[in-house]
Amino acid sequence: MYLAAGRSGPPSTVQAAPERPARRTRVASTVLALGAVSLVTDISSEMVTAVLPLYFVLQLGLNPLQFGFLDGLYNGVSAVVRLAGGHLADRRQRHRLVAGAGYALSAVCKLGLLFAGGSTTALSATLAADRVGKGVRTAPRDAMISLSCAERDLGRAFGVHRAMDTTGALLGPLAAFALLWLAVDAYDVVFLVSFCFGLFGVVLLYAFVPAHPSPAAATSRPSDLRAALRLPAVPAFRRVLVAASLLGLMSVGDGFLYLVLQKRLDLDTVYFPLLPLGSAAVYLLLAVPVGRAADRLGRRIPYLWGHLGLLGVYLVLFSPVPGWPLTVLVLVLLGTYYAATDGVLMALGGPVVPEKQRAAGLALLQSGQAVGRLLASVLFGAAWTLWSMQAALALAAAGLTATLLLARFLLPAHPTESA
Amino acid sequence: MTPTLSPRARVGAVSLAAVVLATFAVVYTVRAADRGGPATGSSHVTLDNTPGLYVRTADGKVAALSKGGARETALSCRRFYASGTGAVCLTTKPGIPPRTQAIVLDRSLRPRRTVTFGGTPNRARVSPSGRMVSWTVFVTGDSYSGGSFSTRSGILDTRTGYLVKNVETLQLTLDGRRYAASDVNFWGITFARDDNRFYATVATRGRTYLVEGDFKAWTARALRENVECPSLSPDGTRVAYKKRVRDSGSDPWRLHVLDLKTLRDTELAETRSVDDQAAWLDDGTVAYALPGRARGSSDVWSVPADGTGEPVRRARDASSPSMNAGR
């Protein structure tokens, strides 16, 4: 069908095109719009995440350990779904439609929680559907960001998007706690307000994000599955994919690092929910400056240096730094690591993937990194149990150092300055 | 393809959506807030003047089931247990971040001391004398993967005021050897008559153990495997507990009673899966909560402790049973 439209392009995409050269110094409106969608959606999802344990145990009287197990299972499913979502978006060049479907599914799941009640089956199904929604939307969204602005501005674009996204992640739990304070035990209020935010995110997406992020993409031939699967054969992409997956394999999950922190400080349980908010605040502050620096220096540099932040976390947890300084150091280093690697990896990998396979390529990168991180936590846990906390940390630090040296050679020096 | 709206029309449509959704959310929240939290009333029911089975009702109130029917106290608790000279009430306090409180009460159900910590209330116990108070909470963000949970247990000695917020520092002996690991979790502490010896569950590497603890020496040693949420009988000779009988996620537990001297197990007549710390009503009967018919509800049942007889429903829409023998 699109072939019949020929090179003239559908009229709906014309209006976005003339703005681009003139606005080069500013962040593309599509990026801001996607940032707003992510902000609102993250408020929606994080407010539910924050209260789910309380809801399961106190309101429904469920056994939370089983839900912990299910949660891990769903995270595995999410990687597979992400690849499918990426390819689907590429095939018809309908990134907005696929992302929108993912956002909408997750929004509806908030109502599902409301109606699932105490039924374990219904709750599991709702949570699984929510994960599917999240998996489906991520790659098309990042593809839209990377297609909506000039290559040289990619770092900043992702920085702006991730800063807005993290703002939502910060506000979500606070909003949920505030609602439960206003209306005691009213978990239905949390789910309903979360649904409203989720739905508003979908409205924002359809109102302000163009259907086709790149006018060229709208008219190009559809991508097929074989081409997407052959992506790792492209040398530049393969190098980024291997480096990201290997570094993921050396990246111990936050949950574990907070656990080490708690063990060392015997932190009061009241403050547990605040730890992720601390590193999110640092991420939020640094995302844009780091993104700009990435555009100037080349994305390889912040991406590699960002991992030094993670290495720093391993080392300070190992060191005799006491109490509050240790907590602050860990949160700052962890936030810096995320700011310098999360969006930057997309800016690093985006340009080496052909436009019409952008979503599938980014999905591969994200999944490679995610699977690596999952394995990293399993290995770290095994090392801790077999030997000791110190040994596990030392091992992780040594592994990360070696992988960083390897990644320095693997990553192309200027992958984005091909033009 | 959808027809493209002008920028002004799009802003208008989004604003309209925002106003509609915000109004909906605000109205719903305000109405929910009006539903009212636990009203703090007063009640003449105390442990002294009302003996009987105490439970937590569907609306979170603690009530005594005596011969004259159910009589509510003024307390709103997530978990409640009364024994000897006092009681404990676990409550949640909303806020940023939310907190949990263990309120230690005297026999008039007046607060004596309050301990504040994080987590989600799960188990609460008072020793037979009333001196030792213990509790367990679920804690998030404290585990291998982001979404899972672990437990934290605390003990308060109400005579000396000595408080242990996290019992994980106990010197643990497993299979005859000193044991330390990152994933050790304690839950369901139950004290003996001497206010020093106690029993609890320890979980590590996917296994659960019954441990016998010594409060003064601060040690604990494993007695046997696959014992969760122990509850010591009034005569101190047996432990009622939930045993994992199925590995699958559904209906994993069955109530058992373990003789501490012979370490012999008795399967109780209750065949349904019980996820609760049982409470002894007397030396021959244990009570526990089971999910009820309505969603999120539970009923209190009891069953003979020697494996005979059959379960009897003691109260509808109730949980957290404990026996107040009176004085």
Side-chain angles (χ1 to χ4, degrees):
Chain A
M1 269 210 251
Y2 285 112
L3 288 175
R7 300 258 150 197
S8 61
S12 61
T13 58
V14 170
Q15 60 183 133
E19 291 179 342
R20 293 218 296 154
R23 290 195 177 184
R24 244 190 162 167
T25 51
R26 280 209 265 154
V27 176
S29 62
T30 303
V31 173
L32 288 178
L34 284 169
V37 173
S38 288
L39 192 159
V40 168
T41 308
D42 252 37
I43 293 179
S44 166
S45 60
E46 292 299 319
M47 60 194 286
V48 167
T49 309
V51 303
L52 265 190
L54 287 161
Y55 177 67
F56 284 160
V57 181
L58 295 184
Q59 238 36 40
L60 302 181
L62 298 177
N63 169 24
L65 296 161
Q66 284 162 285
F67 270 93
F69 170 73
L70 286 178
D71 198 60
L73 203 73
Y74 298 151
N75 277 325
V77 171
S78 168
V80 179
V81 172
R82 197 178 309 162
L83 295 174
H87 175 64
L88 212 65
D90 285 334
R91 218 176 86 180
R92 290 278 171 122
Q93 291 298 317
R94 306 214 33 191
H95 295 85
R96 190 179 73 171
L97 183 72
V98 175
Y103 281 115
L105 180 61
S106 289
V108 170
C109 285
K110 307 306 185 294
L111 279 190
L113 285 174
L114 203 60
F115 294 116
S119 157
T120 319
T121 322
L123 279 173
S124 309
T126 309
L127 292 178
D130 188 47
R131 295 281 168 185
V132 168
K134 191 177 168 57
V136 160
R137 73 188 180 231
T138 313
R141 180 201 66 201
D142 281 348
M144 282 193 277
I145 295 171
S146 83
L147 292 171
S148 67
C149 59
E151 250 178 58
R152 55 173 234 198
D153 294 330
L154 271 185
R156 189 176 51 162
F158 275 104
V160 168
H161 175 267
R162 294 303 198 262
M164 293 175 84
D165 184 271
T166 310
T167 306
L170 259 175
L171 293 177
L174 300 180
F177 294 150
L179 282 175
L180 284 185
W181 175 70
L182 273 172
V184 179
D185 287 351
Y187 292 89
D188 54 332
V189 171
V190 176
F191 298 149
L192 191 108
V193 172
S194 166
F195 167 70
C196 289
F197 273 111
L199 198 60
F200 189 57
V202 178
V203 171
L204 280 178
L205 181 78
Y206 273 87
F208 294 122
V209 177
H212 298 285
S214 136
T219 56
S220 70
R221 298 163 139 274
S223 153
D224 61 27
L225 186 61
R226 229 175 301 157
L229 289 177
R230 242 186 275 124
L231 270 176
V234 180
F237 179 74
R238 186 173 61 227
R239 291 168 139 212
V240 179
L241 179 63
V242 169
S245 306
L246 283 179
L247 284 170
L249 194 59
M250 297 301 150
S251 306
V252 177
D254 300 9
F256 244 132
L257 298 175
Y258 295 140
L259 178 62
V260 177
L261 190 64
Q262 289 151 22
K263 292 274 171 191
R264 273 212 41 197
L265 302 182
D266 200 20
L267 213 60
D268 197 310
T269 45
V270 172
Y271 303 110
F272 288 3
L274 297 183
L275 289 177
L277 297 189
S279 57
V282 176
Y283 182 4
L284 165 63
L285 288 175
L286 291 181
V288 179
V290 170
R292 294 182 80 126
D295 289 336
R296 271 203 314 271
L297 305 168
R299 275 122 216 172
R300 189 175 77 135
I301 292 165
Y303 185 67
L304 292 176
W305 282 84
H307 282 89
L308 288 183
L310 184 64
L311 186 60
V313 175
Y314 298 166
L315 294 179
V316 294
L317 282 174
F318 203 27
S319 74
V321 178
W324 281 109
L326 179 67
T327 310
V328 172
L329 256 175
V330 166
L331 296 185
V332 167
L333 286 170
L334 205 56
T336 311
Y337 157 66
Y338 278 116
T341 57
D342 185 19
V344 173
L345 176 63
M346 295 296 105
L348 185 69
V352 295
V353 183
E355 281 201 1
K356 59 181 186 178
Q357 277 140 15
R358 192 60 60 86
L362 295 185
L364 265 176
L365 270 185
Q366 289 161 355
S367 292
Q369 189 186 35
V371 169
R373 282 183 180 165
L374 203 72
L375 282 174
S377 284
V378 172
L379 292 175
F380 188 81
W384 187 341
T385 314
L386 272 176
W387 300 301
S388 68
M389 184 176 96
Q390 277 79 8
L393 277 174
L395 214 64
L400 183 57
T401 311
T403 313
L404 267 176
L405 290 172
L406 183 69
R408 217 183 129 247
F409 291 106
L410 264 177
L411 288 176
H414 298 287
T416 57
E417 262 73 74
S418 53
Chain B
M1 288 257 102
T2 45
T4 318
L5 295 170
S6 72
R8 183 183 283 183
R10 273 183 285 168
V11 170
V14 168
S15 310
L16 186 68
V19 170
V20 170
L21 288 171
T23 311
F24 184 48
V26 168
V27 168
Y28 195 94
T29 308
V30 169
R31 289 186 57 179
D34 282 347
R35 272 194 317 234
T40 44
S42 65
S43 161
H44 300 295
V45 176
T46 69
L47 294 180
D48 278 327
N49 66 24
T50 316
L53 176 63
Y54 277 62
V55 296
R56 174 188 190 264
T57 63
D59 61 353
K61 279 283 170 65
V62 173
L65 307 178
S66 51
K67 286 190 193 83
R71 296 180 64 198
E72 272 195 2
T73 67
L75 292 166
S76 286
C77 310
R78 292 297 184 171
R79 187 96 201 180
F80 176 85
Y81 194 86
S83 186
T85 55
V88 63
C89 166
L90 289 193
T91 63
T92 46
K93 268 181 84 83
I96 301 170
R99 279 155 299 164
T100 285
Q101 291 187 325
I103 305 167
V104 179
L105 307 144
D106 61 16
R107 285 197 65 86
S108 310
L109 297 179
R110 277 188 309 240
R112 289 174 58 200
R113 177 159 174 192
T114 299
V115 184
T116 304
F117 40 87
T120 307
N122 183 237
R123 308 281 182 239
R125 276 291 135 116
V126 179
S127 70
S129 74
R131 174 177 163 179
M132 309 303 285
V133 176
S134 59
W135 57 83
T136 303
V137 294
F138 283 114
V139 176
T140 36
D142 184 19
S143 183
Y144 293 5
S145 67
S148 51
F149 297 71
S150 68
T151 57
R152 225 157 249 219
S153 293
I155 298 172
L156 173 70
D157 182 342
T158 60
R159 189 171 300 162
T160 62
Y162 184 68
L163 169 71
V164 184
K165 274 197 176 179
N166 181 6
V167 301
E168 281 172 24
T169 55
L170 270 167
Q171 296 199 1
L172 185 63
T173 307
L174 222 63
D175 302 325
R177 273 188 289 170
R178 279 285 302 280
Y179 184 83
S182 63
D183 67 344
V184 168
N185 274 307
F186 283 84
W187 68 83
I189 297 172
T190 176
F191 266 93
R193 231 161 239 298
D194 65 2
D195 289 326
N196 181 54
R197 191 163 45 94
F198 63 90
Y199 296 88
T201 311
V202 162
T204 180
R205 299 195 199 183
R207 295 201 177 124
T208 58
Y209 301 85
L210 172 70
V211 295
E212 184 183 60
D214 186 316
F215 186 68
K216 284 197 201 92
W218 203 237
T219 57
R221 67 186 177 94
L223 296 182
R224 83 179 264 157
E225 215 182 299
N226 197 7
V227 173
E228 285 182 66
C229 294
S231 180
L232 193 61
S233 63
D235 62 13
T237 61
R238 288 154 296 156
V239 151
Y241 70 99
K242 51 184 227 208
K243 181 181 201 167
R244 197 170 187 103
V245 289
R246 265 179 289 272
D247 269 335
S248 66
S250 60
D251 303 339
W253 294 293
R254 175 141 186 192
L255 273 186
H256 281 69
V257 167
L258 177 73
D259 189 303
L260 288 170
K261 201 168 272 171
T262 62
L263 288 186
R264 191 172 298 159
D265 245 344
T266 307
E267 193 177 66
L268 300 195
E270 174 59 81
T271 54
R272 291 166 291 182
S273 182
V274 174
D275 180 12
D276 196 10
Q277 186 173 20
W280 292 77
L281 301 183
D282 52 52
D283 274 323
T285 320
V286 292
Y288 47 89
L290 269 175
R293 272 180 306 181
R295 73 182 202 197
S297 77
S298 65
D299 301 329
V300 166
W301 294 72
S302 72
V303 72
D306 58 2
T308 64
E310 56 184 47
V312 176
R313 179 162 45 215
R314 293 301 189 107
R316 273 190 194 281
D317 292 325
S319 60
S320 217
S322 62
M323 196 62 182
N324 170 34
R327 292 192 147 181

